[in-house]
Amino acid sequence: MTDVHEVLARVHRDEWSRVVATLARRFGDLDIAEEAAAEAYAVAVARWPLDGVPPRQGAWLTTTAGNKALDRLRREGRRDDKHRQALMIDRASSE
């Protein structure tokens, strides 16, 4: 278990900025990039001790963080659509 924690600490130190920079370029938003990277790292902390450390840790973190960012953007997009629909229904019912 200690070895996994050492790997996690090293990967965080060595890969964090690269993961965030990749996501910031991809999504054009530093906040989303940092939050997604943090979520991916939290998943790694939970899963790597159980599933084992992947051979390409930085790539694993980047892929997981990218998926987290996409999930967030999709959720926000659906939320905005639902909000607009609710406003249209409210306006139609008040007319």
Side-chain angles (χ1 to χ4, degrees):
M1 185 81 81
T2 303
D3 292 337
V4 173
H5 288 61
E6 290 171 5
V7 169
L8 285 162
R10 179 187 52 77
V11 169
H12 185 265
R13 188 177 52 251
D14 295 347
E15 299 290 339
W16 178 263
S17 59
R18 190 170 318 161
V19 172
V20 171
T22 299
L23 295 172
R25 266 192 314 274
R26 182 175 174 192
F27 296 104
D29 189 314
L30 185 59
D31 288 335
I32 289 174
E34 288 178 334
E35 289 176 18
E39 288 179 32
Y41 189 76
V43 171
V45 168
R47 289 187 50 189
W48 291 5
L50 303 173
D51 299 343
V53 176
R56 296 180 59 216
Q57 299 93 18
W60 187 97
L61 285 168
T62 302
T63 300
T64 302
N67 291 338
K68 295 288 184 185
L70 283 173
D71 290 345
R72 175 182 172 177
L73 292 171
R74 287 180 184 137
R75 268 192 320 274
E76 288 177 359
R78 282 194 307 269
R79 182 195 64 217
D80 292 343
D81 287 342
K82 288 180 181 182
H83 184 70
R84 278 191 290 279
Q85 290 173 2
L87 287 174
M88 288 174 24
I89 291 169
D90 185 50
R91 286 183 189 139
S93 66
S94 65
E95 290 176 356

